Amino acid sequence: MQPVLPLSARVRRTDSATDEDDDDRFSEELVEAFLTAYTSPGDVVLDPFAGFGTTLVVAEKLGRRPVGLEILPSRVAYVRERLRDPSAIIEGDARRLGELDLPSVDFTMTSPPYMTRSDHPENPLNGYRTDDGDYGRYLDELTAVYASIGRLLSGPESRAVVNVANLRTDTGVSPLAWDVGAALSRVLAFDQEVVLDWADPEDWYTNDYCLVFQRR
Ligand SMILES: C[S@@+](CC[C@H](N)C(=O)[O-])C[C@H]1O[C@@H](n2cnc3c(N)ncnc32)[C@H](O)[C@@H]1O
């Protein structure tokens, strides 16, 4: 199954309503294309790093059942305002997802917080709020999150989509997409990558991808 993706829309935009300087979202069009390709009305759609709620809002609009986790209370409050059913967003840590009483998941799509291999002291999985970043631990913890998600996926048709880019740094390219792809392949089966051919790419990445996984 190959999704057809209308990717002319801009991926990043800033919404002053959130008063955030790192208000990076993916486009609603992108989420809609994946949901149309991979889900049906009534399906459960998970975003473990819900951010500003794009996945959840589009899922709700399309008659899917959204459920999301977000660690930062300010973002949880913002997403609650955007949803018809505010209980769809849970304030919590995706690293503890396995401890929650979540339903089985038909589809999951997210953009996790990013990290580079070097020169990145903040811990993305603490919402960049602590200075104990460690790239190996970051990849291991992300992998553990997806091991838990793999156990929740409802069947062989269920997909887990992860939006990651390879990041330009002062010292070269930090291949986050390759590293996340290899790490998550330890717990899920890699299905395909979708290269996001944005009309107006930015210079902080070489390419932007949606990596598509399924249950092992
Ligand atoms: C790149 S943003 C996702 C943006 C989202 N795709 C959108 O369009 O709105 C990643 C989010 O993960 C959250 N986050 C970071 N660590 C987390 C954790 N351990 N558990 C849950 N959420 C976390 C961050 O606060 C951030 O809002």
Side-chain angles (χ1 to χ4, degrees):
M1 188 164 29
Q2 176 78 36
V4 179
L5 300 169
L7 294 179
S8 56
R10 187 69 196 109
V11 68
R12 304 202 183 270
R13 60 202 164 89
T14 298
D15 186 335
S16 58
T18 64
D19 201 22
E20 300 265 0
D21 56 9
D22 56 345
D23 186 349
D24 278 351
R25 314 173 186 206
F26 40 45
S27 69
E28 295 195 2
E29 291 83 353
L30 177 64
V31 177
E32 186 162 342
F34 273 98
L35 287 179
T36 303
Y38 285 124
T39 68
S40 304
D43 279 357
V44 173
V45 173
L46 170 73
D47 187 339
F49 301 102
F52 301 97
T54 312
T55 300
L56 307 180
V57 166
V58 176
E60 190 176 63
K61 187 181 81 182
L62 296 179
R64 279 61 169 170
R65 288 181 288 158
V67 53
L69 279 170
E70 169 56 46
I71 203 168
L72 297 180
S74 60
R75 295 191 184 182
V76 172
Y78 175 73
V79 176
R80 284 200 177 122
E81 293 287 315
R82 298 187 70 199
L83 289 167
R84 283 196 301 273
D85 175 9
S87 70
I89 176 90
I90 300 165
E91 183 183 324
D93 188 331
R95 291 169 291 190
R96 307 189 67 174
L97 186 145
E99 299 168 24
L100 299 174
D101 187 22
L102 296 179
S104 87
V105 167
D106 301 302
F107 180 79
T108 172
M109 180 168 184
T110 201
S111 179
Y114 285 5
M115 188 175 194
T116 61
R117 281 183 177 181
S118 57
D119 191 28
H120 200 312
E122 301 90 1
N123 185 340
L125 292 174
N126 285 340
Y128 300 103
R129 289 331 196 240
T130 59
D131 284 339
D132 57 342
D134 177 272
Y135 194 65
R137 189 184 64 202
Y138 163 76
L139 290 175
D140 284 346
E141 291 185 342
L142 209 52
T143 305
V145 170
Y146 275 87
S148 295
I149 290 175
R151 287 189 281 277
L152 286 176
L153 288 178
S154 58
E157 293 299 311
S158 306
R159 293 296 189 275
V161 175
V162 184
N163 172 218
V164 272
N166 289 326
L167 308 173
R168 286 191 199 283
T169 72
D170 292 342
T171 53
V173 175
S174 189
L176 181 70
W178 302 164
D179 291 342
V180 168
L184 299 199
S185 293
R186 293 182 348 228
V187 294
L188 295 171
F190 180 63
D191 178 35
Q192 66 165 313
E193 74 276 40
V194 176
V195 184
L196 302 183
D197 184 17
W198 300 115
D200 46 354
E202 295 185 14
D203 58 7
W204 54 267
Y205 58 79
T206 58
N207 266 308
D208 196 14
Y209 302 91
C210 280
L211 306 182
V212 183
F213 297 88
Q214 59 195 117
R215 230 168 51 177
R216 270 178 181 274

